[in-house]
Structure formats: structure tokens, C-alpha cells
Amino acid sequence: KQAGDTRAADARGVGAAKKEADKPKKRFIANVSDRVKTPPFQITDAILWVPEVSLFGGEGGKETTAINVKHGPAEIEVPFEDIASLQFKDVKDDRLDVVVIFRSPEKAGKQLVGTVKSNLQLKGKYEQSHLTAKLKLREVSEVSFEEIKENK
């Protein structure tokens, strides 16, 4: 390949996407409190599952470590690493009221009030076991995130 080919690929985002894929994925522990007052518990390797419903039946979706918060006309993507906690309030139709408390207020302000899709799920391993857990966010009252630091 010629050098010009690489620059063209980077301009299209191909090189940037590959660099992003090569980075090790960050892993998180979610500390969860639910609405029915079960004692708080942890979900290891927590990810957010965003369901995508098909008109032809079946349900797919995607995994992410960021949450999209609708704040007025804006939809703001907030990565888990920036979140100290999420406080979930009322469910209204297909939206769930949320307050995002930021880990570094100087980075994004102290908090963000908005809504998220009410069908979002938190997935991971229950209490560092091999048991898989799925939680509907509409049944959760608060979640805080800690990054899992890898021992090198």
C-alpha cells in the first residue's frame, strides 16, 4: 500500500475504527439498588443492553458501556467511566426519568437530568459468580459504576 492509501482510509474513519477495536475494552462493576428494596448487590462485567425490536418478529440489540440520555432536544451519550451514579425516577410511557451524577463535575457539570428508554437492561455476572444477571432499568432505583482495574 502507498502512504496516500492509509491517509485516505484514516480520513474515512477506517483507521480510527481499527485503533478503537484494538484497545482493550474497559470493564465495570455496577452497584445496584432496586425499587423493591432488595439488599444492594453487584453486577460484574456490567454492560447496557439496548433492545432493537424487529417488525418481522424476534428481538436483537446491542451491548454498550454508555447510556444515551435525552435532555430536551439533545441526546447525550455518557460513558460508564464518567458516571458516579444513575438515579432512576418515574416511568412515563416508553421513557424513564434519570439523573446522571458525574464522577468529575468539572468535566461535564455536576449532574444531567433527562430520560432514557424504559426497556434498557443491565447485564453481567451476579456478585462475581458465573451466574448471568439481567436487570430491567425500570426496576432499578440507583446504579453506581466502578472500573475493574486489571492486574498487570
Side-chain angles (χ1 to χ4, degrees), residues 26 28 65-66 78-84 102-104 107 145-147:
K26 293 186 178 182
F28 295 91
T65 55
V78 185
F80 286 1
E81 63 206 48
D82 292 342
I83 299 171
F102 290 103
R103 193 174 308 283
S104 301
K107 188 173 182 181
F145 295 100
E146 302 169 33
E147 188 175 341

Side-chain angles (χ1 to χ4, degrees), residues 20-57:
E20 191 67 28
D22 290 342
K23 276 196 217 172
K25 294 196 183 229
K26 293 186 178 182
R27 298 172 52 222
F28 295 91
I29 293 174
N31 299 297
V32 180
S33 298
D34 66 20
R35 294 182 187 270
V36 293
K37 305 302 178 207
T38 304
F41 56 92
Q42 289 187 333
I43 301 295
T44 304
D45 289 326
I47 55 99
L48 192 66
W49 176 254
V50 182
E52 295 170 352
V53 179
S54 168
L55 295 175
F56 303 107

